[in-house]
Amino acid sequence: MSPRASSRSPRGATLLLVVLLVTVLLGLVAGVMAYASSERTRAVTSSRAGQRQGCAESGLQLARGYFGRNYAQWNTFLSTPGAYDPIGSPTNPAPANPRTAAGRAAIKTVNPALFADLDGDGKDDVYLYIRDNEDEFKPLAPEWNRDNDQQVVVGAICISETMIPRLGSSNQLDPSALAVEGILQYNGGGHAYTAQTAGGTGSGNLNR
């Protein structure tokens, strides 16, 4: 073997080793970046899940205050369930969806006070609603459009696009809806409130 040929052999082996090391390093870097990205996504999702819960609970407090101050209009509200009650039922077959532009427009035509901006960005974050509790005694059928015991269910749905989680790497908004509600009771000289939470998933229209 000539001296020139023997000198090329170590160089080739060294070059191959360098290529292998670079490949391994690139793989490690890619793995670290993917892990960091997934951790960031999980952290953001977790943070926004907490924000959505806070959004709905803040809305519930607003609903408590608004409907408590407007006790005299409870039956008016209850008789217009398409705007005031997001829960579909035989007596409310097509409630407006507060999570769509068309639904919000329909509700605001009836009462724009049912929406609130919580973070000051000029966009609706929460929808406030009211519905009757089952306050008729058997054999009477439930009368959902009229209050008979000075108690109603009030609640809120977080509809914010900035306070709700997104779905993994797709970054799409989580389509599930979070509703929080409680019993509001009028006692003649004011109103009392009993907390009760409920979560709902779907398009924003819940079902009774």
Side-chain angles (χ1 to χ4, degrees):
M1 180 181 296
S2 67
R4 180 176 297 179
S6 62
S7 65
R8 288 178 179 174
S9 180
R11 290 179 183 176
T14 301
L15 180 60
L16 180 60
L17 180 60
V18 170
V19 170
L20 289 174
L21 288 174
V22 170
T23 302
V24 171
L25 288 174
L26 288 175
L28 289 174
V29 170
V32 169
M33 292 179 65
Y35 176 77
S37 177
S38 65
E39 285 298 300
R40 179 181 180 279
T41 299
R42 278 194 288 269
V44 170
T45 299
S46 177
S47 174
R48 284 180 171 166
Q51 288 179 332
R52 179 170 63 170
Q53 181 71 32
C55 166
E57 291 179 351
S58 295
L60 178 58
Q61 297 306 313
L62 293 174
R64 172 190 176 187
Y66 177 76
F67 293 115
R69 292 190 302 271
N70 291 280
Y71 165 74
Q73 299 183 59
W74 279 8
N75 284 334
T76 300
F77 298 154
L78 296 175
S79 65
T80 316
Y84 287 92
D85 182 3
I87 300 179
S89 68
T91 57
N92 187 25
N97 186 344
R99 302 190 73 196
T100 67
R104 288 192 294 274
I107 294 170
K108 287 182 178 181
T109 299
V110 177
N111 188 348
L114 298 181
F115 293 93
D117 172 15
L118 300 179
D119 55 10
D121 64 356
K123 298 180 180 179
D124 298 323
D125 293 313
V126 68
Y127 162 68
L128 318 180
Y129 66 87
I130 181 173
R131 60 185 177 86
D132 194 23
N133 63 322
E134 191 168 353
D135 51 11
E136 287 77 26
F137 295 101
K138 293 182 178 181
L140 297 177
E143 191 175 4
W144 300 110
N145 295 335
R146 179 181 176 81
D147 171 55
N148 292 314
D149 65 350
Q150 297 184 323
Q151 293 187 88
V152 291
V153 177
V154 298
I157 297 176
C158 182
I159 60 172
S160 173
E161 293 186 356
T162 58
M163 298 182 183
I164 64 176
R166 294 178 182 268
L167 300 176
S169 59
S170 67
N171 207 36
Q172 297 296 312
L173 293 174
D174 185 347
S176 62
L178 178 65
V180 182
E181 59 183 32
I183 297 293
L184 183 65
Q185 180 179 10
Y186 183 79
N187 59 23
H191 59 273
Y193 178 74
T194 302
Q196 171 185 326
T197 61
T201 59
S203 64
N205 287 354
L206 310 178
N207 292 308
R208 180 178 290 134

